[in-house]
Amino acid sequence: MRKLIIEARVNEYMMRDQGNANVPYTPEEIATDALACREAGASIVHFHARTPEGKPNHVTDVYAETVRRIRETSDILVHPTLGYVTLDASPKERLGHILAMAHDTSRAPHFAPMDMGSVNVDRYNAQARRFETTDLVYKNSTQTLTYFAEHIRQAGLKPYLVSWTIGFTRYAEAFMDMGLLEEPAFICFCLTDNTFLGGHPGTLKGLQAHLDFLPEGRRVEWTVVNFGGNLFALAATVIAQGGHISIGLGDYTYTELGQPTNADLVRRVAEIARELGREVATPQEAKQILGMT
């Protein structure tokens, strides 16, 4: 079995007052967290640029400063965001900061994300029986995804494919059929729990539904995240089945474990993997597994 790739999803748009004060915001904080996660066993770090107060920040220079700091202190592979639902803009604008950074090796990321479809991302309050918002749509049209695939390839980066539901995976397969995505493809199955209803639930059945529709005859490496829920309930199953793990305070604060850091979560995943007899990949080994030069 291939070595386990652990991705640290360090902040997303999680706020510190949502339960864990260890969520990093600034470039310096993110880079420090990335180094700690690398030392704990992570080979990829995923981050969202934020203001010092924690608000979304879409300024290219802030992304570039964050990537530069990460690459100065660690060999961990870097996966920035396109802005999620907080940046409702043209494909060119959404990808602009990634392409700008790709021209400079000191601040170039290794991945660029592609969520392979559109999804409602409003939060549902089950106790109150109402949605807290009603108009949040993460829009990724076929035309937009085609633009992303073509320009990410031209920039020499690895597409990081995100699948919220089976339909997203079918789109990924179609893009492979068209030659827009190279193999091995790297697909993240985005399970969702608690207030998030847009993905498959973070259960064995939710995961298996994704696995049932992995493209046949294609080389695919898959990883799993639980956006809004505790991923540890599935971690051993994912690891034993040959998948990879994407985990962090950006998705869930893990307050049932106290006040863990992102490195604490990575370390625990690495321990589970070794108990199951699976070694953890270094960044260089992760690149080899994913067919990256």
Side-chain angles (χ1 to χ4, degrees):
M1 188 177 293
R2 295 183 185 275
K3 291 187 177 182
L4 175 70
I5 298 171
I6 304 176
E7 176 185 26
R9 294 167 55 89
V10 296
N11 63 355
E12 298 295 301
Y13 291 122
M14 185 71 72
M15 300 299 292
R16 291 170 182 160
D17 62 9
Q18 290 177 272
N20 193 317
N22 292 315
V23 178
Y25 291 166
T26 67
E28 182 178 12
E29 291 168 351
I30 294 169
T32 298
D33 224 32
L35 175 58
C37 289
R38 168 66 180 95
E39 292 173 343
S43 52
I44 303 173
V45 62
H46 174 58
F47 76 93
H48 290 225
R50 311 275 290 273
T51 69
E53 297 75 36
K55 295 180 180 179
N57 192 330
H58 303 301
V59 177
T60 298
D61 287 347
V62 177
Y63 275 97
E65 174 68 9
T66 305
V67 176
R68 183 188 66 79
R69 285 177 176 269
I70 293 172
R71 299 198 71 167
E72 280 183 348
T73 58
S74 170
D75 63 346
I76 197 167
L77 306 180
V78 183
H79 169 206
T81 187
L82 298 188
Y84 184 50
V85 75
T86 65
L87 183 59
D88 186 7
S90 69
K92 183 177 181 180
E93 184 176 352
R94 290 174 62 193
L95 193 62
H97 61 293
I98 300 286
L99 300 182
M101 291 188 292
H103 297 301
D104 182 348
T105 56
S106 69
R107 60 181 194 171
H110 300 89
F111 299 91
M114 289 177 56
D115 289 64
M116 298 301 297
S118 301
V119 61
N120 292 347
V121 291
D122 295 294
R123 293 171 179 259
Y124 180 63
N125 186 325
Q127 185 174 3
R129 297 184 180 181
R130 63 175 176 80
F131 280 96
E132 295 177 354
T133 58
T134 57
D135 61 352
L136 296 181
V137 181
Y138 191 25
K139 294 182 290 187
N140 296 286
S141 69
T142 304
Q143 183 179 39
T144 293
L145 292 171
T146 301
Y147 176 90
F148 287 167
E150 291 172 345
H151 285 79
I152 289 170
R153 172 184 285 176
Q154 291 172 11
L157 306 179
K158 180 74 175 180
Y160 182 103
L161 312 177
V162 182
S163 175
W164 292 65
T165 67
I166 292 167
F168 285 58
T169 303
R170 297 176 72 188
Y171 252 70
E173 183 175 12
F175 271 56
M176 283 186 269
D177 288 342
M178 293 188 293
L180 290 171
L181 294 174
E182 297 177 358
E183 299 178 48
F186 190 30
I187 299 180
C188 176
F189 294 136
C190 185
L191 308 178
T192 63
D193 272 339
N194 295 315
T195 60
F196 298 101
L197 306 181
H200 297 189
T203 62
L204 287 173
K205 287 184 178 180
L207 172 61
Q208 190 58 51
H210 274 298
L211 297 180
D212 286 345
F213 285 86
L214 275 172
E216 295 184 7
R218 297 289 187 180
R219 290 186 296 139
V220 174
E221 294 292 333
W222 53 278
T223 187
V224 179
V225 63
N226 191 352
F227 191 46
N230 190 323
L231 185 57
F232 283 114
L234 288 176
T237 298
V238 171
I239 293 168
Q241 293 194 34
H244 305 286
I245 295 288
S246 297
I247 194 168
L249 299 179
D251 301 314
Y252 185 72
T253 55
Y254 291 90
T255 52
E256 57 266 52
L257 303 179
Q259 288 284 298
T261 63
N262 281 300
D264 290 332
L265 302 179
V266 170
R267 192 173 297 109
R268 183 162 178 168
V269 170
E271 290 171 353
I272 294 170
R274 294 186 178 109
E275 289 171 358
L276 293 171
R278 190 171 176 193
E279 291 300 314
V280 173
T282 66
Q284 187 57 42
E285 290 168 335
K287 289 180 72 173
Q288 293 172 355
I289 292 168
L290 298 175
M292 300 165 63
T293 57

